[in-house]
Amino acid sequence: MTDLHPDDSATRPTTGWSTLHRHHLGVDIGGTMTKYAVVDTATGTPTTPVLQVPTPAPATPEAVGDVLTVLVEQLHSHPQAPAPDASVGVALPAIIRRGIACSAANIDAAWIGLHVEQFLTDRLGRPVHVLNDADAAGLAEVRYGAGRGTAGRPVAGTVLVITLGTGIGSALFMDGKLVPNLELGHLELDGTKAETQASAVAREREGLDWPAYTGRLQQYFSHLEFLISPDLIIVGGGISARHEHFLPHLHLDTRIVPAQLRNAAGIIGAARHAYLSAPSLQ
Ligand code: BGC
């Protein structure tokens, strides 16, 4: 299954298109659930239902590798199965440098130092490309969601994507190009990590009402705005479905909008990363 992406002409290689695949399995490994779907990367649409299974506890590389092996085997006979040599995109709550995990948030510490891409490629018997979960969500939003500008191209300038979930994830784009592994959830606010105070889970843990939570977000986003001067801020994570409770009450000079792809963003972005990592696009 091969196809050109009509609006990827900037990265279009002169040779090698015949090896490109359009449909990739995208997997988003979270602290509690692992979500996955086959994604049409030309449109950013899942072509199978978005499914989820519990992330094993403890979420060691071996245990997660077992789960992914079963998923890939199950998909094999599905009518929408990607080509056997189509790479798999995997989003992890970890800093990923050249395929190696350098941190581990809400997954087992055994990931740290592991060459995740090599490990999962060996386990699944097909190429695997790995990236940080917030980077994946951001990739999806700038290409197919709230960060699309005119003619479907990413919004020009600096776009900051912040995901509010168990932690706070962040992704930064310059003219649609990802600056990977930004860890802005770990910025300090009043002597503690921002994600300890302003994640969606912090709101639940402390029983904060919307005005109190909005106050924390105001402090956080004002700080980010001062540090980065973005042209657009996109707010994702499950809580973004309830954006009307907080986004309209934030006072910023920067336009701030809810993410559009919600819970599927990580999966879609992981599949997009798999597509972009094809050797012929490097
Ligand atoms: C981690 C990030 C991750 C974010 C969202 C943070 O605690 O440090 O790597 O992207 O949580 O899962």
Side-chain angles (χ1 to χ4, degrees):
M1 228 177 296
T2 61
D3 203 74
L4 297 186
H5 287 212
D7 50 359
D8 278 340
S9 50
T11 48
R12 184 178 297 175
T14 49
T15 58
W17 276 103
S18 60
T19 61
L20 280 181
H21 295 287
R22 169 173 170 166
H23 296 84
H24 292 266
L25 173 61
V27 184
D28 185 7
I29 299 169
T32 48
M33 299 305 283
T34 293
K35 290 175 278 185
Y36 62 101
V38 177
V39 177
D40 177 347
T41 60
T43 60
T45 334
T47 58
T48 59
V50 174
L51 298 172
Q52 51 181 358
V53 291
T55 301
T60 59
E62 283 299 334
V64 170
D66 287 345
V67 168
L68 297 194
T69 306
V70 171
L71 299 187
V72 167
E73 275 168 12
Q74 281 172 352
L75 271 174
H76 197 62
S77 51
H78 194 283
Q80 301 296 332
D85 63 339
S87 56
V88 176
V90 174
L92 263 188
I95 295 168
I96 305 291
R97 299 185 72 180
R98 288 177 283 281
I100 298 171
C102 300
S103 68
N106 302 305
I107 51 174
D108 198 85
W111 290 92
I112 299 172
L114 181 72
H115 198 302
V116 181
E117 288 195 345
Q118 194 59 59
F119 174 78
L120 291 178
T121 295
D122 292 346
R123 287 299 300 267
L124 302 185
R126 58 179 72 205
V128 176
H129 298 288
V130 181
L131 79 171
N132 171 265
D133 57 355
D135 285 350
L139 270 184
E141 289 295 337
V142 300
R143 178 61 176 73
Y144 315 106
R148 259 177 323 168
T150 48
R153 294 202 171 272
V155 165
T158 314
V159 175
L160 178 63
V161 180
I162 295 290
T163 62
L164 302 171
T166 310
I168 292 182
S170 54
L172 186 67
F173 295 84
M174 182 62 203
D175 292 337
K177 183 112 178 88
L178 174 68
V179 180
N181 292 313
L182 215 65
E183 286 285 346
L184 296 177
H186 292 249
L187 273 181
E188 275 195 17
L189 281 185
D190 295 337
T192 46
K193 272 189 212 170
E195 68 176 9
T196 315
Q197 295 186 45
S199 66
V201 162
R203 186 183 82 87
E204 287 163 17
R205 189 182 55 236
E206 297 186 41
L208 299 176
D209 61 15
W210 288 110
Y213 183 57
T214 305
R216 296 210 181 165
L217 291 178
Q218 178 69 58
Q219 194 187 357
Y220 181 53
F221 282 115
S222 293
H223 194 45
L224 290 177
E225 183 177 54
F226 173 74
L227 292 176
I228 295 172
S229 299
D231 295 298
L232 174 69
I233 301 174
I234 299 172
V235 181
I239 202 170
S240 64
R242 303 166 81 188
H243 60 90
E244 71 279 4
H245 293 294
F246 55 96
L247 284 191
H249 308 296
L250 293 174
H251 301 288
L252 298 165
D253 290 332
T254 312
R255 193 158 70 91
I256 184 164
V257 298
Q260 289 177 1
L261 303 169
R262 305 275 156 77
N263 279 339
I267 296 168
I268 295 170
R272 168 94 177 139
H273 179 61
Y275 167 78
L276 290 175
S277 302
S280 54
L281 281 184
Q282 299 307 296

